[in-house]
Amino acid sequence: MLTMTAALASLVPPPPVPAVGTAWPVGTRPPIVRGWAPPATEYGAGHRGVDLAAPVGAPIRAAAGGRVSFAGRVAGRGVVAVELSGTGAPPLRTTYEPVTPSVKKGARVAPGEVLGALEPPTNHCGPTPCLHWGLLRGDTYLDPLSLLPPRLLRRGPSRLLPVPPTAAAPRLVPPGGDPSMLVPPGADPPLLIPLLPVRSAVGFGTALGTAPGPVPPLLVPPPPGLAPRISR
């Protein structure tokens, strides 16, 4: 009878994990080195938690409030476990390692309260220091990220910044030119050379192009800074 009851109990799915977490265990949105990968069988290969990158000595905080059920060392690593209040029977239990505990077994901790400091790497994440964060209900491992509400899992909404108005392009008009002429900003205005009274075949004081007879003199554009030069 007991065997049948245990077999039926194993078929009942565990109750859903309530999103009672109010803070990340470390930092505000730490990089996830390795995510949750539940094993196919009880003793199969997998990853029974989440690894969060953090510097050595970083304060480790309770993701949710509850009672410290363990604070000590296991296989040379510091471990802190917290039973979460109001999460059913058996209650949910979070684990944090490797952590040098600053709390004692039986202490009540509030959400976000410091539990200890991150210890140097133990090769769990290679040379990178990381916090292994676990979640259990009884002996069943669960995804600890399911404790956090969506607002904590998001990196933040994308925001569209206002585009500042652009100033109108200046209207560059060459001196003495037609105001309707536009020169693109940054471009040099065209060089306008006035027609000066020049000597022609008829005599002095005759405007260029009005004298009969030989071909009138030509205007050669001057180099910058020099007066117009007449080529005959």
Side-chain angles (χ1 to χ4, degrees):
M1 183 67 178
L2 292 178
T3 304
M4 179 66 68
T5 302
L8 292 176
S10 64
L11 298 178
V12 177
V17 176
V20 295
T22 60
W24 284 88
V26 62
T28 54
R29 180 58 173 88
I32 298 177
V33 180
R34 187 180 179 189
W36 161 253
T41 62
E42 182 178 0
Y43 301 103
H47 192 232
R48 297 167 173 82
V50 172
D51 295 335
L52 306 176
V56 174
I60 305 303
R61 304 177 184 276
R67 182 184 64 87
V68 177
S69 58
F70 181 85
R73 306 198 72 79
V74 177
R77 301 187 306 275
V79 178
V80 177
V82 178
E83 286 186 354
L84 307 185
S85 304
T87 55
L92 292 172
R93 184 170 77 256
T94 53
T95 60
Y96 310 84
E97 59 178 290
V99 175
T100 300
S102 60
V103 293
K104 302 294 185 181
K105 180 179 177 179
R108 302 291 302 184
V109 292
E113 185 172 340
V114 175
L115 304 175
L118 185 65
E119 295 179 350
T122 59
N123 294 327
H124 180 76
C125 295
T128 303
C130 73
L131 170 72
H132 181 77
W133 181 29
L135 176 66
L136 300 92
R137 186 185 292 278
D139 295 328
T140 303
Y141 286 88
L142 303 169
D143 183 3
L145 294 182
S146 60
L147 280 176
L148 301 179
R151 64 178 180 82
L152 290 179
L153 294 173
R154 291 192 297 263
R155 290 189 177 273
S158 300
R159 293 184 300 171
L160 296 178
L161 300 178
V163 178
T166 56
R171 297 167 61 89
L172 301 179
V173 180
D178 186 349
S180 64
M181 294 176 59
L182 293 180
V183 179
D188 294 331
L191 179 64
L192 299 181
I193 302 176
L195 299 180
L196 303 177
V198 296
R199 182 178 180 179
S200 68
V202 176
F204 294 96
T206 305
L208 178 63
T210 60
V215 177
L218 300 177
L219 284 178
V220 178
L226 298 181
R229 177 171 58 88
I230 300 176
S231 174
R232 297 184 64 87

